[in-house]
Amino acid sequence: MTVFTAEIVNPCVLTHPYNDDHQLSFEELEMKYTTSVTKGMTSTMAAQVLERDGCNELKPPKGTPEYIKFARQLAGGLQCLMWVAAVICFIAFGILMGQGNLTSYDDLYLAIVLIAVVVVTGCFGYYQEFKSTNIIASFKNLVPQQATVFRDGQKFNINANQLVVGDLVEMKGGDRVPADVRIVSAQGFKVDNSSLTGESEPQSRNPEFTHENPLETKNIAFFSTTCLEGVATGIIINTGDRTIIGRIASLASGVGNEKTPIAIEIEHFVDIIAGLAIFFGATFFVVAMTIGYRFLEAMIFFMAIVVAYVPEGLLATVTVCLSLTAKRLARKNCVVKNLEAVETLGSTSVICSDKTGTLTQNRMTVSHLWFDNHIHSADTTEDQSGQSFDQSSETWRALGRVAGLCNRAVFKPGQDAVPIPKRDVVGDASETALLKFTELAFGNIVDYRNRFKKVCELPFNSTNKFQLSVHELEDPLDLRYLLVMKGAPERILERCSTIMIKGQELPLDEQWKEAFQTAYMDLGGLGERVLGFCHLLLSEKEHPRGFGFDVDEMNFPTSGLCFAGLISMIDPPRASVPDAVMKCRTAGIRVIMVTGDHPITAKAIAANVGIITEGSETVEDIALRLRIPVEQVNKRDARACVVNGGQLKDMTSEELDDLLRTHPEMVFARTSPQQKLIIVESCQRLGSIVAVTGDGVNDSPALKKADIGIAMGISGSDAAKNAADMILLDDNFASIVTGVEQGRLIFDNLKKSIAYTLTKNIPELTPYLIYITVSVPLPLGCITILFIELATDIFPSVSLAYEKAESDIMNLKPRNPRKDRLVNESLAAYSYFQIGAIQSFAGFTDYFTCLAQEGWRPLLCVGLRSAWENAHNQEVQDSYGQEWTFAQRLYQEYTCYTVFFVSIEICQISDVLIRKTRRLSLFQQGFFRNKVLLSAIVFQLCLGTFLCYCPGMPNIFNFMPIRVQWWFIPVPYGILIFIYDEIRKLGVRRHPGSWWDKELYY
Amino acid sequence: MFTVCMYALLMTISPYTPTYRDRVVPPGVMISPRVGGFDIAFNASDPKTWAKYTETLNAFLTPYNDLEQERKNIACTPGVYFKQDDREESAERKACQFKRSSLGNCSGIDDPSFGYSEGKPCILLKMNRIIGYLPGEGAPVTVSCEALKGDVDHFGAEEFYPYDFFNLMYYPYYGKLTHVNYTSPLVAIRFSQVTTENPLTIQCRLNGKGIKSDSVQDRFLGRITFTLQIGA
């Protein structure tokens, strides 16, 4: 055990040597801290030290200042793109103003809107982060922890954060150790170091100096560990961040934060967009120059094209989609700290899960009993809904009586309304389990114990490994005493001469001993903690009423007892976990268990929840089955593998990688949280996206290193929550699976949203290109584009986030982050050059119709630009010889903007419908299932109508009331888009893997 | 599909009359000479400063030459609309004569400098053509000018040639395909009593039924504003 403890000594911790207070004698200690091991410090001295050292609390890892957090929200990939675009707009505006021919403020507006979008979405993201930080903050203990301290020779209860180095404190079972404490005196004092070292066995602590290493010596209790039982006093030797746990917590900040997969995807996407934008811009720059525009004009065209390529609405869409999912997750008990983490969960391919509390209930529970030569199963479900065993046997009565009486655990008062399994208990884990078990079986156990008045008891100790107590009998006429005893099964058996079978005491012969051995091995093999129980009715003659029982002298028989049975306990898996693990498996996610527990227990739970599947064997299992030495087993045959911390310590990283590659089912037992980090790194080296669960302070480096760190809301420490990206409010593994499902769904739906959003980029860009090359009146204005991007199309694109999954996404493998991109070439190509092209044609058809019907025939329009835009020319002739003033032409141009806008809207309705599915026919998916999407379409139409027909629009936003028939001109194109995409989907479904599938499936 | 749509579109569009005419009504107003913007500034004594204006005016008035008009167009009855709706849509329409000589002092015939050399410049006012439009709804549209800014008191009075209104006989217009020789009627304005050398902002407007001349959005609808600076 000591070797194991040493593993957590992180090199970083060692570089700041921990003081050697544990080696000092009490006198030296008193000298050093001006204190007294009996009276404590003086309050004046304590106040001085408090002044010097500050409060005894862990400082939150140097919190990123709020403005940096906010700035970070403004500096994502898309955001940068938009900043650049805004700057370009300003430059273009500046050039135009410098030239003195300022006809419109469009560039300025555009720049302002771009910046506004970035800032508003930034605020949105910041608010989300802020909100979840608040949720985390609310978990912090609002009631300050109290500590018992001696000052000026008197006992005080003060807030633990007021403690200082040198204070003499008292700790008892149930308390949290308030700082790093050098033990001065102790009675049966035990601490749970699991949050520090990951080991779940109670550690005893006493004043004895046993090891030079402060982490191994028995005379120091560490800050934030829990006292399980006993009483101790000690001198505080370190407080706050100078404690061991404080040092480890600060380590987490040293681990770099990985980029989230979605951030990588968005960067990739921005690269594509930027590349295309510059390509288009440069092409048309050259074209414009050859056509004969002046350099400055061509430059402005170039900038305008680059800016037109920026999907202004996308940032808002992505942010809103992610936060919708975050909200949905929050309802399912996953709080997401960072919006992008929502998607990360979806691409997760490995989950490194804790055992205790996450996979299991974190509650020792009686799971099996052995009596009457049978193993009986007890109900281990959380809500007592499972099957129980037959309780009619006499032996069970006797066994239950021993379990109930020979037990020092008691319920904390005031919990009558709480279901028994959930009640708080004072006592160690196995006694608690037995207490709850007997309470469930017999009813009120306090009452029961009162009926059997306790005469004396001998608590459990590690030398004799048993616990006994003597009771009066329930029947007041029966004056015999009852001796009950429980302990390590082999020790109990040694003391027995008979065994109770079906209420009969039978002599304990070899046959029964063998039966006992088999049962003991079986239960032990399940990874359960087994206790033996026996009893004896003392004869009235030798031990009459009032006999002075003395546990020190043992003036009563402790052998020749009657063996009642075995009870085994385990921390049982949560009911929902096996199902969740199964789901992970079908979803292609590997679940790796990393626990501080014993390998056998770990393996048993792993097998129980399905991390090790039925029929999978470890190397050791194969060796056992084939009766060959372990070395001869072909490692490739073993699917499962249980590695313990000791082995892990001796492994190189290559060996670990190899191990992870060979065995799909891995369990790491007896690992320190530090080793968790190594395991995570190894998984990441193998290309996995790793999710890690953790609760201890020591887990925080691993949580931070992981692609997504998941902290436990209930049991998790603040440090873990700080380092994590997500918090499970119910500590339940099954919630992670829900998260994965949502994450995958949002990835798919984001893809759809992006495809939808990108499509209209082309019909927004082509008008400008045509305008430059053929010099027609501008078909679509900048403000109109902004309305499409940021008003009418936002809701539909967000509504795609509500789309149900097309197929069972949990049956697919996790996406390969290198291959399955969010935005791939086929998505861009299909959206831009096919659907986008159709939309452009729709727009131009409507544009030319509108112009032609007003008197400007298409051929006349070509080359018309300079006359059309000449603000002094009030007599430009149309195809019929009519003369138009500049303002009349301008309103005609606005009418063109509006019809182009309407065309894009109509086509986008068709587009949002086709984007509902990527593979299935719409008829399979159903048109009307996504109510949000339907209302989005209605909203879009209403907003479009409003913009067109609201009075005043022409002069504010350049929208004109258009003739009714112009609404219907793009409809055939909408239908074309629909049919076109159905054909694409049909091809994709019919010929998977074909050229068609590869080119057209996005 | 685009080709089909465009073809279908062109098939449905009449070559003679646009489907809709509401965007060009009511008519806008234009002046000549217009060189660059709407500022006319010159020194009467320096022909170089006004040559560009007279050149523009001369070019503008070429189609109005008496011979040309007499050869191509017919003399119509003044005071009534010259309607030719009884004929086929595709048939050519006759146009009424508008002779350059009727512009008098502003015709450039007697005074090739259009009065610019005397500091009494001529401006030609033209109403925008609109197919089928009957301005004034029976009563001719008149023209009036006023000075808005500058030394308003030194604006004096202006002279109109041939009249201060657009004769009804020039309307309606039937479109350039059928009304081939149509020449827009003009009103020439001679600013003969301007006695200041400072810039004057002058607005000329049309008055008549159905004419809109107070649009905030379109400053050229039924009115036109220009500056005039006449140096010695």
Side-chain angles (χ1 to χ4, degrees), chain A residues 774-777 856 860-869 876-877:
Chain A
V774 257
S775 293
V776 292
W856 304 87
L860 180 77
C861 295
V862 174
L864 188 62
R865 194 173 79 93
S866 58
W868 181 276
E869 290 184 350
V876 177
Q877 287 197 4

Side-chain angles (χ1 to χ4, degrees), chain A residues 932-945:
Chain A
V932 183
L933 190 134
L934 289 182
S935 50
I937 292 176
V938 173
F939 167 81
Q940 187 185 15
L941 278 173
C942 291
L943 186 61
T945 316

Side-chain angles (χ1 to χ4, degrees), chain A residues 372-625:
Chain A
D372 291 351
N373 201 18
H374 272 291
I375 292 180
H376 302 263
S377 298
D379 180 8
T380 54
T381 54
E382 287 144 293
D383 49 2
Q384 292 297 310
S385 58
Q387 286 277 317
S388 200
F389 56 95
D390 175 26
Q391 302 192 341
S392 59
S393 165
E394 267 308 305
T395 321
W396 153 240
R397 296 258 310 279
L399 178 60
R401 186 167 67 186
V402 181
L405 295 178
C406 189
N407 190 335
R408 287 159 24 109
V410 285
F411 288 114
K412 285 185 183 164
Q415 299 189 85
D416 291 339
V418 184
I420 294 164
K422 298 217 164 95
R423 287 188 200 168
D424 283 340
V425 174
V426 184
D428 78 16
S430 30
E431 293 217 313
T432 304
L434 289 169
L435 172 69
K436 288 178 177 171
F437 180 65
T438 47
E439 176 93 10
L440 281 167
F442 294 141
N444 192 335
I445 203 76
V446 180
D447 195 40
Y448 186 81
R449 282 184 196 164
N450 286 342
R451 279 186 268 145
F452 293 86
K453 203 163 153 263
K454 193 192 285 176
V455 182
C456 76
E457 82 179 333
L458 175 68
F460 186 86
N461 70 48
S462 44
T463 32
N464 42 20
K465 300 216 160 158
F466 65 82
Q467 171 180 0
L468 68 79
S469 58
V470 180
H471 300 260
E472 290 174 7
L473 282 179
E474 184 178 19
D475 180 359
L477 296 177
D478 194 338
L479 294 179
R480 288 178 296 178
Y481 283 107
L482 172 70
L483 181 144
V484 288
M485 185 192 275
K486 76 165 181 215
E490 63 278 8
R491 294 294 179 86
I492 297 294
L493 196 74
E494 277 168 16
R495 296 170 183 276
C496 292
S497 56
T498 57
I499 180 166
M500 186 178 269
I501 299 296
K502 308 227 182 265
Q504 303 292 312
E505 277 190 40
L506 302 180
L508 184 67
D509 54 19
E510 279 310 311
Q511 193 195 333
W512 286 121
K513 280 188 182 167
E514 194 146 309
F516 161 87
Q517 272 308 330
T518 320
Y520 184 26
M521 290 298 286
D522 282 354
L523 295 174
L526 294 174
E528 304 186 354
R529 189 185 293 174
V530 191
L531 289 176
F533 295 81
C534 62
H535 67 168
L536 180 66
L537 282 168
L538 301 176
S539 87
E540 201 180 337
K541 284 183 195 137
E542 287 170 40
H543 304 282
R545 245 330 118 92
F547 180 84
F549 288 99
D550 187 336
V551 288
D552 292 328
E553 292 189 12
M554 292 279 198
N555 57 353
F556 47 84
T558 52
S559 59
L561 310 173
C562 171
F563 190 82
L566 296 171
I567 296 182
S568 66
M569 283 150 287
I570 198 161
D571 178 11
R574 286 162 177 272
S576 49
V577 167
D579 222 32
V581 172
M582 192 61 205
K583 268 192 182 166
C584 284
R585 199 175 294 283
T586 50
I589 300 169
R590 215 168 148 190
V591 182
I592 295 177
M593 183 196 272
V594 184
T595 175
D597 249 333
H598 199 275
I600 294 175
T601 318
K603 192 181 160 195
I605 291 289
N608 218 324
V609 299
I611 290 176
I612 295 179
T613 45
E614 239 181 292
S616 297
E617 291 176 306
T618 62
V619 173
E620 292 77 12
D621 288 335
I622 296 175
L624 201 68
R625 178 165 55 86

Side-chain angles (χ1 to χ4, degrees), chain A residues 287-301:
Chain A
V287 169
M289 289 295 277
T290 32
I291 288 178
Y293 285 104
R294 278 175 300 125
F295 173 78
L296 217 52
E297 261 180 315
M299 202 62 211
I300 286 172
F301 288 156

Side-chain angles (χ1 to χ4, degrees), chain A residues 695-965:
Chain A
D695 45 17
V697 173
N698 248 15
D699 291 337
S700 41
L703 287 174
K704 209 140 186 223
K705 178 75 199 168
D707 295 285
I708 177 163
I710 303 168
M712 297 300 143
I714 303 170
S715 60
S717 58
D718 292 341
K721 284 177 195 165
N722 269 323
D725 304 296
M726 206 175 93
I727 293 157
L728 291 185
L729 295 187
D730 56 358
D731 288 17
N732 191 347
F733 182 80
S735 308
I736 302 178
V737 180
T738 322
V740 169
E741 194 169 354
Q742 291 296 332
R744 289 187 173 189
L745 186 59
I746 198 61
F747 186 80
D748 278 3
N749 285 347
L750 261 186
K751 214 171 198 179
K752 294 173 184 174
S753 280
I754 290 178
Y756 170 80
T757 312
L758 286 190
T759 308
K760 61 177 180 284
N761 245 358
I762 286 297
E764 284 164 4
L765 185 66
T766 42
Y768 203 75
L769 302 186
I770 298 294
Y771 166 76
I772 296 172
T773 46
V774 257
S775 293
V776 292
L778 185 61
L780 188 61
C782 158
I783 296 180
T784 323
I785 291 179
L786 289 180
F787 266 97
I788 299 174
E789 287 280 352
L790 297 173
T792 55
D793 276 12
I794 286 283
F795 194 16
S797 64
V798 168
S799 76
L800 281 169
Y802 288 95
E803 198 53 44
K804 297 269 177 304
E806 266 175 80
S807 50
D808 197 348
I809 36 173
M810 291 306 274
N811 284 338
L812 303 173
K813 291 242 165 308
R815 75 184 176 91
N816 178 340
R818 271 178 233 97
K819 274 201 233 139
D820 308 330
R821 314 306 303 250
L822 181 65
V823 176
N824 48 26
E825 278 71 21
S826 59
L827 181 145
Y830 181 69
S831 298
Y832 278 153
F833 302 120
Q834 301 186 43
I835 302 299
I838 297 178
Q839 294 197 354
S840 307
F841 280 125
F844 277 107
T845 309
D846 215 0
Y847 163 77
F848 281 123
T849 307
C850 157
L851 273 175
Q853 294 197 335
E854 295 286 357
W856 304 87
R857 296 168 68 100
L859 280 180
L860 180 77
C861 295
V862 174
L864 188 62
R865 194 173 79 93
S866 58
W868 181 276
E869 290 184 350
N870 183 345
H872 296 310
N873 192 345
Q874 307 296 332
E875 47 179 1
V876 177
Q877 287 197 4
D878 66 13
S879 311
Y880 300 93
Q882 303 186 97
E883 289 162 333
W884 295 58
T885 65
F886 177 71
Q888 285 170 336
R889 296 193 308 267
L890 197 62
Y891 283 117
Q892 177 59 37
E893 191 174 311
Y894 292 165
T895 312
C896 294
Y897 294 176
T898 313
V899 294
F900 217 103
F901 164 81
V902 164
S903 305
I904 294 178
E905 289 311 296
I906 299 285
C907 289
Q908 281 292 80
I909 290 176
S910 178
D911 194 26
V912 76
L913 285 173
I914 65 165
R915 300 299 184 186
K916 277 162 72 84
T917 58
R918 292 187 292 143
R919 183 174 207 107
L920 290 185
S921 163
L922 258 181
F923 298 99
Q924 289 166 304
Q925 179 85 348
F927 279 95
F928 306 110
R929 276 219 224 123
N930 187 345
K931 297 280 183 289
V932 183
L933 190 134
L934 289 182
S935 50
I937 292 176
V938 173
F939 167 81
Q940 187 185 15
L941 278 173
C942 291
L943 186 61
T945 316
F946 173 79
L947 287 173
C948 287
Y949 298 108
C950 176
M953 279 295 167
N955 302 316
I956 310 171
F957 294 128
N958 309 353
F959 281 95
M960 292 291 285
I962 60 165
R963 295 177 205 286
V964 177
Q965 74 266 32

Side-chain angles (χ1 to χ4, degrees), chain A residues 216-264:
Chain A
E216 291 177 45
T217 181
K218 288 221 178 267
N219 61 357
I220 295 184
F222 295 106
F223 182 37
S224 89
T225 57
T226 336
C227 315
L228 293 171
E229 55 187 89
V231 184
T233 55
I235 299 283
I236 293 178
I237 52 172
N238 268 311
T239 56
D241 285 337
R242 289 168 299 280
T243 58
I244 289 284
I245 211 94
R247 291 177 186 201
I248 292 168
S250 57
L251 268 186
S253 49
V255 178
N257 229 342
E258 301 283 304
K259 250 186 201 154
T260 60
I262 192 87
I264 296 171

Side-chain angles (χ1 to χ4, degrees), chain B:
Chain B
M1 179 139 177
F2 181 67
T3 327
V4 173
C5 282
M6 290 312 291
Y7 184 73
L9 166 68
L10 293 178
M11 294 308 288
T12 58
I13 301 286
S14 151
Y16 308 109
T17 336
T19 320
Y20 302 105
R21 271 164 285 173
D22 51 354
R23 286 253 181 273
V24 273
V25 179
V29 175
M30 199 54 182
I31 54 163
S32 185
R34 181 180 65 85
V35 181
F38 294 96
D39 301 309
I40 297 168
F42 63 94
N43 292 327
S45 52
D46 183 1
K48 267 183 281 174
T49 56
W50 44 260
K52 55 187 176 193
Y53 300 118
T54 54
E55 276 162 27
T56 313
L57 283 169
N58 260 322
F60 182 79
L61 284 175
T62 320
Y64 293 87
N65 286 338
D66 290 11
L67 281 173
E68 186 94 346
Q69 287 289 325
E70 280 161 15
R71 188 164 59 83
K72 287 182 179 167
N73 295 342
I74 58 167
C76 309
T77 326
V80 287
Y81 292 123
F82 180 46
K83 291 195 180 171
Q84 307 168 65
D85 295 333
D86 48 339
R87 311 180 65 171
E88 256 179 77
E89 198 184 18
S90 57
E92 198 182 314
R93 304 298 203 278
K94 291 272 181 294
C96 293
Q97 292 176 356
F98 188 96
K99 289 185 179 170
R100 186 171 177 171
S101 55
S102 68
L103 293 175
N105 283 342
C106 288
S107 64
I109 298 171
D110 301 330
D111 174 12
S113 78
F114 294 90
Y116 282 75
S117 57
E118 303 164 45
K120 296 174 180 174
C122 280
I123 301 285
L124 298 176
L125 200 74
K126 175 179 76 64
M127 186 158 64
N128 277 354
R129 291 184 221 169
I130 297 163
I131 293 180
Y133 183 66
L134 301 173
E137 297 173 22
V141 172
T142 60
V143 178
S144 62
C145 294
E146 58 178 325
L148 296 181
K149 270 191 278 179
D151 299 329
V152 179
D153 301 336
H154 297 94
F155 175 60
E158 66 279 13
E159 300 160 17
F160 294 97
Y161 301 96
Y163 313 102
D164 65 344
F165 61 85
F166 292 98
N167 201 309
L168 295 185
M169 66 181 175
Y170 298 104
Y171 304 98
Y173 173 56
Y174 284 96
K176 79 175 173 194
L177 209 58
T178 48
H179 223 159
V180 185
N181 295 321
Y182 183 83
T183 39
S184 293
L186 304 170
V187 169
I189 309 156
R190 191 164 187 244
F191 299 99
S192 49
Q193 296 170 28
V194 177
T195 54
T196 175
E197 294 196 2
N198 296 325
L200 267 175
T201 302
I202 297 166
Q203 186 180 65
C204 291
R205 57 168 72 225
L206 304 181
N207 312 294
K209 268 194 185 166
I211 297 290
K212 190 171 159 61
S213 58
D214 55 357
S215 166
V216 185
Q217 273 82 42
D218 192 348
R219 289 180 297 110
F220 297 92
L221 217 52
R223 60 177 162 156
I224 190 159
T225 313
F226 55 91
T227 59
L228 190 62
Q229 185 181 11
I230 306 169

